[in-house]
């Protein structure tokens, strides 16, 4: 199948085509032609011409001698319908028709999206019954000759189009009943303006431009090295690098690439990349263009094109991120294996931050596209996507705490917007009972086309017929799934809390941050300088949720309510025992506020020791401002009798500064009841969702894990 789109009027293309007869010096094998039948309808709308064409096929002299012929004759029938603006060309061989059957069909028609464009389609078949024992030789000669003629086809049309233009013929009016087809002669300067009409704003054409430069061929677009700039959408190129495309899909690709070439500033993506966005939107031109342009701007803003060269995962990934590339599936797609159930998602998020996790995920997607290109060259057929195998053994409720799911949804949003149609298949194995909860949370954010590629196996259902062995060779399946391959994937496991650090603590780099607002925040707490955050509540029975880790020292956690709006105030250096204060230490309650008058305590302060994780929720009873406070704990702050470890810590001088990493969120009560309510990193949901059914009093509770 050969397909082109000419950005020229249909009738103009047809006149250029007619100039090929009765002979065509540009096609040496075409010696000449004679009309053997001709018919014109009374109104002139239909013109049928049948010709006998004489060809001098480039074949060995011995073969010609055995066949007893020097020339081959074809019968060509052209049916021109001026009314419908269509030309159908049918050709068959007359010579050796009992031994060899050659059939070719070509058509010119008006492009359905733009009536000023012309579509050209060409297909052919060859059936060799017998040819004196030289069947394979004849097949090779025929294929070589046919391929050469196809490549010359555009050059021939270009030649005759330029010949018409040189004669001042630039426009042929559409057929109307009673009107004859004729030429319209205008000046050379007006030629291009009449010939080329593209529905793209902002494109200007110079009078010296050749109309053939607008055939959907774009200069400066990096393609496979073996393709010439003027031959990018030949059938061989499509089959080799792009995969199956219908004529309309190819036309849409040409149109979008043309638009990018004329309007986009910067690097033009490859055809494979453009096709991903077109396929994601079922070749809807406008939606794909909008999505692609947003993605190109995003890539430029955050320098994503260079992420494989600039991103170096923190050392913690090598031990605790259980994922790696592992050969390929049966279709030649690169295979990525992720043991999600073995990853301490909460610990990893708190240790490296969501910025690092997102960059790591983006680097995996970029590496996947690079591997797809490599496999395309190795396999000889287009590999457009990669396969992901996700092992969920070990997945439990600790993976489903709210901040982690929130980070996951943000990552999915970024990947869906910028890497459409890159995932060919997702194999999910050993899905536990808790998986439907996770799937309910994330599936609405996944594109429908992507969801159809998910194959989910619970328990050991992935083994045997219909399992992953249908997609992966046994020698590729990892040993931990019963296969024969040793997979060098990190073990994962719990991340030590000693490795937790905020984004402020992490190493800074020169790259622009992808996320300017982090999920977890950190704060230092000094003696006399607590850290406070406030949530304004407008509707009663809202739910305040929190999750924090004590990274250094011991703290008192309290929750207060005030009708007065707190204000951020400058810290009084005299009230702080240290010489400096941290910029992320915030105090909201004025020192002149009186407990019981200006604000009230909602529960007794909770003593939180270094290394502890605390999760909890509070159902609000009144509107106003709810203040979460972390205050340095000292032996005298919780009891009149000091504990031994408190005294030792004081003597060692290690309690002059505390540090917490925290997250909080406010939810409406109905949202809290109807969604995943757990903030815990241990097993089990928070049991606090049930208390939202009561409005008699406020409820609060915290769960501590060590």
């Amino acid at each position: 199948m050969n397909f082109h789109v000419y950005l020229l009027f249909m009738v103009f293309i047809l006149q250029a085509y007619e100039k090929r007869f009765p002979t065509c010096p540009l096609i040496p094998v075409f010696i000449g032609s004679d009309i053997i039948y001709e018919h014109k309808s009374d109104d002139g709308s239909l013109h049928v011409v049948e010709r006998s064409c004489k060809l001098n096929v480039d074949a060995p002299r011995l073969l010609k001698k055995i066949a007893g012929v020097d020339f081959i004759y074809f019968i060509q029938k052209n049916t021109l319908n001026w009314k419908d603006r269509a030309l159908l060309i049918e050709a068959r061989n007359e010579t050796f028709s009992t031994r060899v059957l050659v059939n070719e069909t070509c058509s010119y028609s008006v492009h359905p999206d733009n009536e000023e464009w012309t579509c050209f389609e060409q297909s052919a078949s060859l059936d060799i019954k017998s040819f004196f024992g030289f069947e394979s030789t004849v097949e090779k000669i025929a294929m070589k000759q046919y391929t050469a003629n196809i490549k010359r086809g555009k050059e021939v049309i270009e030649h005759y189009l330029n010949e018409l233009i040189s004669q001042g013929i630039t426009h042929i009016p559409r057929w109307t009943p009673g009107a004859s087809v004729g030429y319209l002669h205008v000046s050379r300067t007006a030629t291009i303006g009449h010939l080329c009409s593209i529905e793209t704003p902002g494109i200007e054409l110079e009078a010296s431009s050749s109309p053939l430069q607008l055939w959907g061929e774009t200069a400066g677009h990096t393609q496979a090295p073996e393709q010439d700039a003027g031959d990018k959408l030949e059938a061989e190129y499509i089959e080799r690098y792009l995969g199956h495309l219908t004529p309309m899909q190819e036309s849409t690709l040409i149109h979008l690439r043309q638009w990018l070439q004329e309007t986009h500033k910067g690097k033009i993506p490859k055809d494979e990349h453009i096709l991903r966005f077109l396929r994601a939107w079922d070749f809807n031109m406008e939606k794909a263009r909008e999505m692609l342009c947003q993605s190109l701007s995003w890539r430029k803003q955050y320098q994503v094109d260079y992420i494989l060269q600039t991103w170096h995962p923190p050392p913690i990934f090598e031990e605790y991120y259980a994922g790696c590339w592992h050969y390929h599936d049966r279709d030649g797609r690169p295979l990525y294996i992720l043991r999600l159930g073995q990853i301490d998602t909460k610990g990893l998020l708190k240790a490296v931050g969501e910025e690092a996790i997102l960059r790591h995920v983006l680097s995996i997607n970029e590496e996947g596209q690079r591997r797809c290109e490599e496999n395309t060259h190795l396999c000889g057929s287009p590999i457009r996507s990669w396969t992901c195998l996700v092992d969920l053994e070990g997945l439990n409720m600790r993976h489903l705490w709210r901040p982690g799911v929130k980070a996951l949804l943000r990552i999915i949003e970024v990947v869906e917007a910028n890497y459409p149609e890159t995932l060919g298949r997702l194999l999910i194995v050993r899905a536990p009972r808790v998986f439907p909860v996770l799937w309910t949370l994330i599936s609405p954010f996944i594109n429908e086309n992507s969801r159809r590629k998910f194959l989910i196996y619970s328990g050991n259902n992935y083994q045997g017929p219909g399992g992953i062995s249908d997609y992966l060779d046994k020698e590729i399946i990892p040993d931990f799934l019963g296969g024969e391959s040793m997979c060098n994937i990190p073990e994962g496991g719990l991340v030590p809390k000693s490795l937790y650090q905020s984004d402020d603590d992490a190493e800074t780099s020169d790259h622009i941050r992808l996320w300017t607002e982090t999920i977890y925040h950190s704060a230092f707490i000094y003696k006399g300088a607590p850290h406070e955050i406030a949530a304004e509540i407008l509707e009663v029975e809202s739910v305040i949720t929190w999750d924090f880790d004590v990274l250094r020292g011991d703290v008192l956690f309290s929750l207060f309510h005030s009708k007065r709006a707190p204000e951020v105030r400058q810290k009084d250096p005299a009230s702080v025992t240290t010489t400096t204060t941290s910029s992320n230490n915030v105090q909201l309650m004025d020192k002149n506020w009186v407990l019981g008058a200006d604000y009230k305590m909602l529960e007794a302060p909770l003593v939180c020791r270094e290394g502890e994780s605390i999760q909890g929720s509070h159902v609000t009873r009144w509107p106003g401002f709810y203040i979460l406070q972390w205050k340095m704990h000292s032996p005298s702050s919780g009891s009149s009798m000091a504990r031994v470890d408190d005294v030792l810590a004081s003597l060692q001088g290690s309690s002059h500064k505390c540090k917490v990493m925290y997250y909080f969120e406010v939810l409406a009560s109905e949202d809290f009841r109807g969604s995943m309510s757990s903030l815990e990193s241990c097993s089990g949901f928070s049991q606090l969702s049930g208390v939202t059914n009561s409005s008699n009093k406020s409820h609060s509770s915290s769960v501590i894990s060590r």
Side-chain angles (χ1 to χ4, degrees), residues 145-429:
Q145 199 72 64
Y146 185 71
T147 302
N149 290 344
I150 288 178
K151 290 184 177 180
R152 294 285 292 173
K154 289 193 296 182
E155 298 177 14
V156 173
I157 290 293
E158 179 179 6
H159 171 79
Y160 288 120
L161 284 171
N162 289 329
E163 185 176 297
L164 287 173
I165 294 172
S166 66
Q167 298 172 5
I169 301 169
T170 61
H171 180 71
I172 302 171
R174 289 185 57 175
W175 176 89
T176 55
S180 59
V181 179
Y183 298 138
L184 176 64
H185 294 259
V186 295
S187 66
R188 169 72 177 177
T189 304
T191 295
I192 302 304
H194 285 83
L195 286 180
C196 307
S197 178
I198 305 176
E199 295 177 343
T200 304
I203 298 179
E204 298 181 359
L205 302 175
E206 299 180 1
S208 59
S209 301
S210 167
L212 275 301
Q213 293 174 354
L214 303 174
W215 284 15
E217 299 167 11
T218 54
H221 180 14
T222 305
Q223 292 288 0
E226 56 266 44
Q227 295 295 322
D228 295 329
D231 203 24
K232 289 182 179 177
L233 291 187
E234 292 294 343
E236 182 179 355
Y237 166 70
I238 295 175
E239 181 180 356
R240 180 71 172 79
Y241 294 99
L242 305 182
H244 175 71
L245 293 176
T246 66
M248 286 307 305
Q249 290 173 345
E250 184 181 348
S251 173
T252 306
L253 171 61
I254 293 173
H255 191 183
L256 181 52
R257 191 179 63 181
Q258 173 74 35
W259 184 87
L260 287 171
Q261 180 66 30
E262 297 292 344
T263 62
H264 182 69
K265 296 180 180 180
K267 184 180 179 181
I268 302 299
K270 297 180 180 180
D271 284 345
E272 300 93 307
H273 192 78
I274 300 175
L275 271 176
R276 289 190 179 101
F277 288 84
L278 287 171
R279 288 190 172 105
W281 290 100
D282 294 326
F283 285 83
N284 183 304
M285 173 73 175
E286 295 304 320
K287 291 183 178 180
R289 180 170 63 183
E290 180 182 359
M291 184 180 180
L292 176 58
C293 288
Q294 291 177 355
S295 179
L296 292 176
S297 298
W298 172 81
R299 296 182 69 89
K300 182 178 181 180
Q301 179 180 357
Y302 297 108
Q303 303 175 6
V304 180
D305 287 337
Y306 309 102
I307 196 168
L308 290 180
Q309 293 78 33
T310 59
W311 167 246
H312 303 289
I316 193 173
F317 275 92
E318 298 178 2
E319 183 175 356
Y320 296 102
Y321 186 85
C324 69
W325 290 100
H326 184 73
Y327 300 106
H328 53 78
D329 66 7
R330 288 189 170 183
D331 296 323
R333 296 189 182 104
L335 175 64
Y336 190 83
I337 298 179
L338 179 66
R339 303 195 69 181
L340 183 60
Q342 304 301 312
I343 300 178
D344 178 12
T345 51
K346 179 174 184 177
L348 200 61
L349 181 64
K350 290 189 174 183
V352 300
E354 60 268 33
E355 172 78 18
I357 294 178
L358 175 59
R359 286 195 173 271
H360 194 61
V361 171
L362 296 183
S363 71
I364 292 172
N365 279 272
E366 291 291 316
E367 175 67 15
Q369 293 185 91
R370 188 190 67 81
R371 288 174 177 259
C372 286
E373 293 182 6
E374 288 183 353
N375 286 15
T376 294
H377 287 279
L378 292 174
C379 299
S381 59
I383 305 297
R384 304 190 301 264
S385 56
W386 48 283
T387 293
C388 185
L389 173 62
V390 181
D391 179 18
L392 295 184
E393 183 186 43
L395 185 79
N396 54 45
M397 299 308 295
R398 67 185 172 86
H399 293 86
L400 304 183
W401 94 112
R402 291 194 61 85
V405 173
K406 185 175 181 180
L408 176 60
L409 294 180
R410 291 171 70 175
I411 291 174
I412 290 175
E413 182 180 6
V414 173
V415 172
E416 283 284 299
N418 298 283
Y419 298 93
E421 297 299 310
T422 56
L423 182 64
R425 184 180 293 119
L426 182 64
L427 303 172
I428 299 177
V429 299

Side-chain angles (χ1 to χ4, degrees), residues 81-138:
N81 190 323
W82 287 106
K83 183 177 181 180
D84 296 335
R85 290 184 292 170
L87 172 63
L88 177 64
I89 306 166
E90 301 168 287
R92 56 182 173 83
N93 64 304
E94 184 178 25
T95 307
F96 302 119
S97 58
T98 59
R99 295 179 177 272
V100 180
L101 295 178
V102 179
N103 289 286
E104 181 185 38
T105 302
C106 305
S107 66
Y108 290 89
S109 59
V110 178
H111 196 290
D113 293 339
N114 191 329
E115 65 175 13
E116 297 179 353
W117 295 357
T118 302
C119 294
F120 171 73
E121 295 182 68
Q122 181 179 20
S123 62
S125 64
L126 172 65
D127 183 13
I128 304 176
K129 298 181 178 180
S130 64
F131 203 84
F132 313 107
F134 290 90
E135 288 80 11
S136 61
T137 303
V138 171

Side-chain angles (χ1 to χ4, degrees), residues 392-396 429-436 457-459:
L392 295 184
E393 183 186 43
L395 185 79
N396 54 45
V429 299
R430 301 200 279 194
R433 292 182 178 180
V434 73
F435 175 73
Y457 303 92
S458 61

Side-chain angles (χ1 to χ4, degrees), residues 474-661:
K474 190 172 183 179
E475 58 269 20
I476 296 298
I477 298 176
D479 55 339
F480 57 82
L481 294 178
E484 301 176 355
S485 179
M486 295 294 294
C487 184
N488 296 323
I489 194 169
E491 290 293 331
L494 292 176
V495 178
K497 293 184 179 180
S498 59
L499 298 179
Y500 287 5
Q501 57 181 351
S502 64
D503 285 351
D504 295 333
D505 298 329
E507 287 188 20
T508 59
S509 59
D510 295 333
H511 62 247
I512 304 172
R513 292 181 61 87
L514 288 158
W515 279 343
T516 56
E517 183 178 339
T518 61
I519 293 177
Y520 279 93
H521 301 272
S522 62
F524 287 102
I525 302 162
Y526 302 89
K527 186 174 294 184
H531 179 69
E532 298 165 343
I533 56 176
E536 183 179 7
I537 302 299
L538 301 178
E539 298 181 4
V540 297
E541 292 194 351
S542 296
V543 182
I544 304 173
T545 62
W546 57 81
D547 171 32
F548 65 89
D549 288 87
V550 183
L551 302 183
R552 184 187 304 172
D554 297 342
V555 300
L556 285 175
F557 174 69
S558 303
L559 181 65
F560 302 97
H561 173 264
S562 174
K563 295 181 180 180
R564 297 178 58 179
E567 297 182 1
V568 178
R569 61 186 178 86
Q570 296 293 330
K571 292 172 282 292
D572 184 5
S575 65
V576 182
T577 58
T578 56
T579 56
T580 60
T581 60
S582 175
S583 60
N584 58 3
N585 178 276
V586 177
Q587 299 175 48
L588 300 176
M589 293 191 295
D590 191 276
K591 61 182 179 180
N592 296 321
W593 282 15
V594 178
L595 181 63
D598 299 296
Y599 69 102
K600 60 182 177 180
M601 182 178 294
L602 298 180
E603 63 174 311
L606 178 67
V607 178
C608 307
R609 303 294 179 180
E610 181 175 324
E612 291 182 343
S613 295
I614 295 89
Q615 300 85 26
S617 301
H618 177 86
V619 184
T620 64
R621 181 181 177 185
W622 312 279
F625 297 90
Y626 288 76
I627 302 172
L628 286 71
Q629 183 193 75
W630 291 269
K631 185 178 181 181
M632 178 176 289
H633 172 64
S634 61
S636 60
S637 59
S639 172
S640 59
M641 184 173 292
R643 297 190 320 160
V644 174
D645 54 350
D646 292 330
V647 174
L648 292 176
S650 178
L651 292 174
Q652 294 172 358
S654 61
S655 59
H656 69 282
K657 182 171 65 173
C658 301
K659 184 180 181 182
V660 295
M661 179 183 292

